[in-house]
Amino acid sequence: MDISDDGPASAPEWQDADNNLCGVLHGNLDTSAVAERFVRAGWRSRSSSWDTYEVETDWCRADLDPVEGSDTLLSGVIDPGKLDALAVLLSPFGLSFGLELYDEQGSLRREITG
């Protein structure tokens, strides 16, 4: 199952915020399977197109977009203090990843690879 309304919705301050999160997930999972992993972790997930998903929890809202091969692009908005929490969440997914956090001016603030 890759669609779920059971998890918490993103907090109001993240609903209309500009994107500050970019990343790529590398591995042998298609985007649907990645969305399913977020659902198992208690996040909401909804299909936003044929093979694209939106996942969210109270501190993050992100789009999952497939790219050629088995990579998934991740972009959206995150509470800047929760970037480490996202990295911890992704670690057991069996994927390597790179995450980038940007400030309000669009400057790179922090990177994490896992």
Side-chain angles (χ1 to χ4, degrees):
M1 169 161 87
D2 49 22
I3 307 292
S4 173
D5 288 331
D6 292 337
S10 57
E13 63 265 30
W14 309 122
Q15 296 278 335
D16 297 319
D18 288 334
N19 285 1
N20 66 351
L21 173 67
C22 293
V24 64
L25 312 175
H26 307 283
N28 293 323
L29 298 176
D30 65 17
T31 306
S32 174
V34 173
E36 183 176 344
R37 300 269 189 313
F38 277 96
V39 169
R40 288 184 194 164
W43 289 46
R44 288 178 175 233
S45 174
R46 66 186 146 276
S47 176
S48 54
S49 74
W50 184 258
D51 55 1
T52 303
Y53 294 86
E54 208 175 89
V55 293
E56 70 179 321
T57 192
D58 56 347
W59 47 268
C60 182
R61 179 183 36 79
D63 293 322
L64 303 175
D65 296 303
V67 292
E68 192 170 322
S70 58
D71 290 348
T72 297
L73 296 180
L74 181 143
S75 63
V77 63
I78 188 170
D79 175 340
K82 296 287 191 170
L83 189 64
D84 287 324
L86 180 59
V88 168
L89 174 79
L90 292 172
S91 294
F93 284 13
L95 304 168
S96 59
F97 58 86
L99 301 173
E100 298 175 346
L101 178 66
Y102 292 87
D103 64 19
E104 294 81 21
Q105 290 75 37
S107 298
L108 182 62
R109 186 170 165 186
R110 190 157 170 238
E111 288 181 88
I112 296 178
T113 57

